[in-house]
Amino acid sequence: MTTNTAGGDAVNVAPEPMEGHGAYDRNSRVQGSSLSSILPLLEQAAEVVPVDFAAPLVVADYGCAGGRNSLEPMRVAVRALRHRAGAGRPICVVHNDLPANDFAALFDLLANDPGSYLHGDPHVYPSAVGRSFFQSVVPPDSVTLGWTAWSVQWLSRMPMTIPDQVQVAFSRDAAARAAYARQAAQDWAAFLSARDGEMRAGGRLVVLAMASADIGGFGYRISVESIYGALQDLCANGFLDATEVERMAIPTYGRTRAEFLAPFEASGRFGNLILETIELFTDHDRIWAESGEGRDASLFATRWAKFSRASVFPTLASALREPADAVRRGAFFDRMEAAMTRRLAASPERSLIPLAKLIVSKVPA
Ligand SMILES: C[S@@+](CC[C@H](N)C(=O)[O-])C[C@H]1O[C@@H](n2cnc3c(N)ncnc32)[C@H](O)[C@@H]1O
C-alpha cells in the first residue's frame, strides 16, 4: 500500500496485482476471450520485426498476472519468430508485472500447462521482472516484440479520492474526472516512453487495453454499480467504516481514441515511436452469453463477481484500515463477493466491453 496526497485528499490506494494462486487465471475468461481479435495483429508484427542481428530475440509481456492469458500470445509470437530466425536462435520471453504479482504461479503454469509455449522448443528462455511498467523493465534497445493485454488501463496511482463512486467513469465529480484524465495522460506517455527506451529499432509493441467507447463510455455498468453497492452494504452492516469506503477506488481508466492518439499528435511520432494502427471495438459479453442472456441469473452473478474479485478486490482491500490482517482481508473478499453476487443476480444485464487494439513501432535504425 502506498500513500499519495492530491488536492488535500489522503489517498491510500495504489494498484495491487491480481488475486494470486491461480484465482485470476480461473476468473479471467472475459479477458481471454478477447484474444482472438488481436492475435492476428501480434502475428503480423512478429512477421515484420528485424531478426537479423547477433543476439537473442527478446519478447516482452507487460502485465502478465498469473500467465494463463499470455500462453497463447507468447506461443503465436515464438512460433512466428522461430520460423523466421531459425531453429537454434535463443528467444527470451520476459514476463513483467508488479513486484507482488504471483510469479510462482506463472512459472508453475509455464512448466506444467499443456498449452505452455515452452513445450517442444528448448531454445525459449522465460524470465520475469517484478517492476512497474511505467519505468524500464529490461535493458535499453533489447525488445524485439512487445505485448500487453488488459493492463495499461491501470494507472500508476490513484490521483484523488472519488467522492461519489468507486470507478471514475461513473462519477459526476468534475475534479475527480479531471484528475483521473490527467493521470491517465501522464501514465500513457510514461508507458510509451519506457517502451521507446527498451525496444530495438524496428521493434513493435502490440497493445490491447480497456477503452472508452464513443457511445456507452467505459462499459461494465452493472458490475461497477454492484461493487459500489456492495461497499455500501458492508458499510451499512458495520464491516467497513465510512473512511475505508471513501478511500476505496479502482484506479483504472478507459481512454478514448483521442487520448490514445494524444502523445503522437504533435509530430506524428512520440520520441522514436510511431502509431501504426489503432482500432476501438466492442467485445462480446461472454458471461452474458454463457448465462443464456441472463436467464441463469446465478451463473451470471457468480461469474461477474468472481471476475471483479480476482481483478479489483486486491486493490480495494489495500484501503482497509491498518493493520488489515489476513483474516479481515479474506473476510472482505468473501463478503464483497457475496454482496456483489446478490446484487448482480437481481438484475442481470449485458455489459458493454470497449477495447482498443494498437500497434506501435520504433523507427528503424
Ligand atoms: C487484468 S490483468 C491482465 C493480465 C493478462 N495480461 C490478461 O490479458 O489477462 C492486468 C495486469 O497488469 C498488472 N499491472 C498493473 N499495473 C502495472 C504496472 N504499473 N506495472 C506492471 N504491471 C502492472 C496487474 O498487476 C495485472 O497483473
Side-chain angles (χ1 to χ4, degrees):
M1 180 170 81
T2 58
T3 301
N4 303 318
T5 313
D9 288 319
V11 180
N12 290 316
V13 178
E16 293 279 328
M18 307 293 99
E19 195 179 8
H21 306 292
Y24 175 80
D25 280 348
R26 287 191 297 279
N27 296 295
S28 56
R29 285 147 41 107
V30 168
Q31 293 91 326
S33 71
S34 62
L35 286 175
S36 57
S37 58
I38 186 157
L39 289 180
L41 285 196
L42 181 63
E43 196 158 18
Q44 210 178 301
E47 263 149 28
V48 297
V49 291
V51 296
D52 52 347
F53 49 86
L57 297 170
V58 176
V59 181
D61 170 27
Y62 302 102
C64 59
R68 177 159 305 280
N69 289 336
S70 294
L71 294 183
E72 176 71 357
M74 292 305 102
R75 204 172 54 75
V76 165
V78 166
R79 189 184 53 206
L81 294 175
R82 170 68 64 229
H83 182 65
R84 295 181 58 216
R89 182 77 175 274
I91 300 178
C92 301
V93 177
V94 182
H95 296 281
N96 156 252
D97 210 290
L98 292 168
N101 182 57
D102 189 354
F103 288 109
L106 166 81
F107 285 113
D108 183 41
L109 191 79
L110 294 183
N112 299 314
D113 192 273
S116 170
Y117 61 83
L118 292 179
H119 299 323
D121 193 331
H123 301 293
V124 181
Y125 300 87
S127 63
V129 178
R131 186 190 279 182
S132 170
F133 53 43
F134 294 118
Q135 51 186 296
S136 298
V137 300
V138 286
D141 302 315
S142 62
V143 174
T144 287
L145 191 58
W147 164 259
T148 181
W150 288 85
S151 297
V152 295
Q153 69 274 357
W154 282 93
L155 301 180
S156 59
R157 63 194 270 273
M158 181 174 151
M160 62 176 278
T161 51
I162 309 172
D164 58 343
Q165 246 300 339
V166 71
Q167 162 51 247
V168 75
F170 294 87
S171 168
R172 291 172 187 275
D173 188 85
R177 292 179 73 92
Y180 270 72
R182 263 194 315 275
Q183 189 66 53
Q186 281 168 21
D187 286 348
W188 179 224
F191 179 84
L192 289 172
S193 191
R195 303 300 75 78
D196 186 4
E198 66 199 17
M199 277 162 71
R200 293 188 78 95
R204 293 198 167 201
L205 168 72
V206 179
V207 179
L208 176 68
M210 285 166 71
S212 183
D214 290 343
I215 300 171
F218 182 78
Y220 309 91
R221 197 196 70 82
I222 185 80
S223 292
V224 174
E225 287 302 325
S226 303
I227 293 172
Y228 195 56
L231 289 173
Q232 310 301 323
D233 294 345
L234 267 59
C235 194
N237 69 26
F239 181 82
L240 294 175
D241 66 40
T243 320
E244 289 176 308
V245 175
E246 269 164 33
R247 283 199 302 255
M248 288 184 184
I250 306 168
T252 56
Y253 186 88
R255 295 182 180 88
T256 61
R257 186 184 162 82
E259 287 169 327
F260 279 112
L261 288 172
F264 301 93
E265 280 229 303
S267 65
R269 274 194 193 183
F270 180 72
N272 298 302
L273 301 181
I274 295 174
L275 181 59
E276 299 281 342
T277 64
I278 174 166
E279 186 190 331
L280 266 64
F281 65 104
T282 305
D283 205 20
H284 79 288
D285 177 350
R286 177 180 179 151
I287 294 177
W288 180 248
E290 286 171 351
S291 66
E293 305 202 329
R295 283 187 292 281
D296 186 341
S298 162
L299 182 82
F300 170 85
T302 306
R303 294 239 166 116
W304 273 116
K306 286 195 181 300
F307 166 97
S308 301
R309 174 182 176 131
S311 52
V312 302
F313 289 8
T315 294
L316 296 178
S318 74
L320 288 172
R321 209 177 39 245
E322 289 204 80
D325 58 33
V327 174
R328 184 154 189 263
R329 191 179 141 90
F332 171 74
F333 274 59
D334 292 344
R335 286 172 185 238
M336 276 295 288
E337 183 181 342
M340 219 190 139
T341 306
R342 270 195 304 279
R343 285 175 167 270
L344 286 162
S347 54
E349 173 188 299
R350 183 200 302 268
S351 285
L352 187 71
I353 304 183
L355 293 169
K357 51 181 171 181
L358 295 77
I359 298 185
V360 175
S361 67
K362 181 161 172 178
V363 288

